[in-house]
Amino acid sequence: MAVYRLIGDEAGRMRTAVRTDYNAGQSELGTDSAPSTRPASAVSEVTGLIGVVALFGAITAAIYFDTTLPQSIFLLMSGAAIPMIASTILLDKAHLRSSTGLDYGLNRQRSEVASITITKTLGLGATLFVIALAYQIIPTYDTSKYQIVRALTALVFPFLWVFSPVYIAFTTRHMIEPRDELWHFGKFVTFQFSAVDMTYVKDHCRAWLVKGFFLAFMVSILPMIVHSVVNSNLDRVFGEPVLIILYLVQVSFLVDVCIGTIGYVCTFKVLNSHIRSANPFLSGWVAALICYPPFVIMHSGGPLDYRGGTQEWGVWLADQPTVLILWGSVILLLAATYAWATVAFGIRFSNLTHRGIITTGPFRYVKHPAYLSKNLMWWMVYMPFLSVMGTTAAIQSCILLLGVNAVYFARAKTEEKHLMADEDYRKYAEWIRTNGLFARHLRRRDI
């Protein structure tokens, strides 16, 4: 209950600011101030493209050299992350943007830097300890699926904490306001309550709750998806068109998981990829968390399990080879769009957070391309309108899948409510309203 009170606290500075800016943004939408050109994106198109090309190169190398699974994971992750980080610095020059909160002309006194660094280091240590403890005592993480998460925690967290003062001291020296959320949390865990602003502490906890929860999930599914792509029998795969489609869909999911995992790891001010804010609305957290284990409600046996009595597309269309290939190609297109939406974030992908507004890739057409493509893909993959159990079961499956669609619609709306606090997002939302894919389609119909 304490966690939900923390997430749903609506009295703090962030929620007040978000509500005020959201209402202001809503009143601005629909006015004549719509931007004539698409607002600039926090990440350039080329950064994500570089990451994908490098990732494909790493996949090829892993297959060619027949690497072990741990080697493959390391090769794919580092192979995509390093080029994207380089692009972020050299091409995007994100480290020089004012949104980093850094001013490299600042040179604070060493004594002040040291004092703040100690406080932040203690705060970081407490944060990592709580996350590691959660991985150890929460039953969900005491399974083979999360074994790699627990192992990496024991290996990486101590190393990260020991060397963190170097990074913390550097950023503190150049931060315009060095007494940030981590500093206030450090003061809190050292019982210096008179210096603590609890709003900052709650902001810190929300951001790290996002990171701890979703990073564990992403890391837990990495081995399975990497193995399915790197260790597939390619001679067999490329012998049948349907197997080619299925394999490329898996590749699309691999791209999404790898780039997404990199996003959760690379939250650094110096790269301007830090978490500006985590969603302060309880409704946003509920809508997101019920889509992921252990809270997921769409899994087998869950209240929105729409797969009862369904068969996948390959079964229903097996005796219609032309339709089978066309149907599978559309599924592949949707899967590729889903991955493209993640790639557009570069090193900034994350659920429930604001880390910069993205307007490139498929976001130039719709505000939520990943949700749209994923939900359409489920209709095409499982074909719930057909059922081996009869018409009634098919209607039930369709209603349940519509319920899943409604959950993702709620996710989209709660995310927008959070992001409306940013003027850049308000401009982007207005641009999409007048220039997005559906707006263009409607204009063509009116002509």
Side-chain angles (χ1 to χ4, degrees), residues 111-363:
S111 58
E112 182 185 10
V113 172
S115 174
I116 295 174
T117 298
I118 291 171
T119 299
K120 288 184 176 182
T121 301
L122 292 173
L124 178 62
T127 303
L128 296 177
F129 174 77
V130 170
I131 293 174
L133 183 63
Y135 291 160
Q136 295 298 322
I137 66 175
I138 296 177
T140 299
Y141 299 109
D142 190 21
T143 61
S144 58
K145 179 181 178 181
Y146 287 97
Q147 186 176 10
I148 185 175
V149 175
R150 290 154 62 97
L152 286 174
T153 298
L155 176 67
V156 174
F157 276 17
F159 177 85
L160 178 65
W161 186 68
V162 168
F163 288 95
S164 65
V166 177
Y167 172 80
I168 292 174
F170 174 79
T171 53
T172 296
R173 186 176 184 83
H174 301 294
M175 284 179 68
I176 296 172
E177 179 44 71
R179 292 170 178 80
D180 58 3
E181 292 85 353
L182 181 57
W183 182 85
H184 282 272
F185 187 71
K187 288 293 185 182
F188 177 78
V189 298
T190 54
F191 308 107
Q192 301 177 62
F193 301 125
S194 61
V196 174
D197 183 335
M198 287 304 298
T199 302
Y200 284 102
V201 172
K202 293 171 185 176
D203 292 348
H204 172 83
C205 293
R206 273 190 289 260
W208 277 88
L209 188 58
V210 168
K211 194 166 183 176
F213 179 86
F214 286 104
L215 184 57
F217 170 74
M218 300 295 280
V219 171
S220 72
I221 62 178
L222 257 176
M224 177 183 65
I225 190 69
V226 170
H227 176 77
S228 68
V229 171
V230 173
N231 298 107
S232 289
N233 184 339
L234 296 184
D235 289 335
R236 177 172 175 268
V237 165
F238 287 101
E240 297 183 35
V242 173
L243 292 182
I244 293 174
I245 291 173
L246 292 174
Y247 181 75
L248 292 178
V249 168
Q250 285 293 94
V251 171
S252 298
F253 291 154
L254 175 61
V255 170
D256 167 69
V257 172
C258 285
I259 302 298
T261 304
I262 290 168
Y264 283 109
V265 172
C266 294
T267 51
F268 300 107
K269 276 188 174 293
V270 293
L271 298 176
N272 200 31
S273 60
H274 58 292
I275 296 175
R276 291 149 171 76
S277 64
N279 196 317
F281 300 106
L282 177 59
S283 57
W285 284 78
V286 172
L289 293 181
I290 61 176
C291 299
Y292 298 91
F295 311 107
V296 61
I297 62 175
M298 303 89 168
H299 62 74
S300 179
L304 289 182
D305 178 15
Y306 56 87
R307 290 176 289 271
T310 64
Q311 298 277 13
E312 293 192 10
W313 61 285
V315 176
W316 289 115
L317 303 175
D319 59 348
Q320 303 178 59
T322 301
V323 176
L324 180 69
I325 298 304
L326 291 174
W327 195 273
S329 298
V330 175
I331 291 174
L332 175 57
L333 177 62
L334 291 170
T337 301
Y338 177 66
W340 187 21
T342 302
V343 169
F345 281 87
I347 60 171
R348 299 183 187 216
F349 179 83
S350 175
N351 284 293
L352 287 171
T353 60
H354 170 24
R355 297 174 62 187
I357 306 304
I358 307 301
T359 67
T360 57
F363 291 93

Side-chain angles (χ1 to χ4, degrees), residues 29 34-39 359 363-366 425-437 439-440 443:
L29 293 181
S36 58
T37 58
R38 179 164 46 91
T359 67
F363 291 93
R364 59 165 54 89
Y365 305 113
V366 291
Y425 188 79
R426 297 198 294 270
K427 291 178 180 178
Y428 165 69
E430 179 62 17
W431 188 85
I432 284 291
R433 192 183 71 83
T434 56
N435 297 278
L437 181 64
R440 294 176 187 177
R443 280 203 300 271

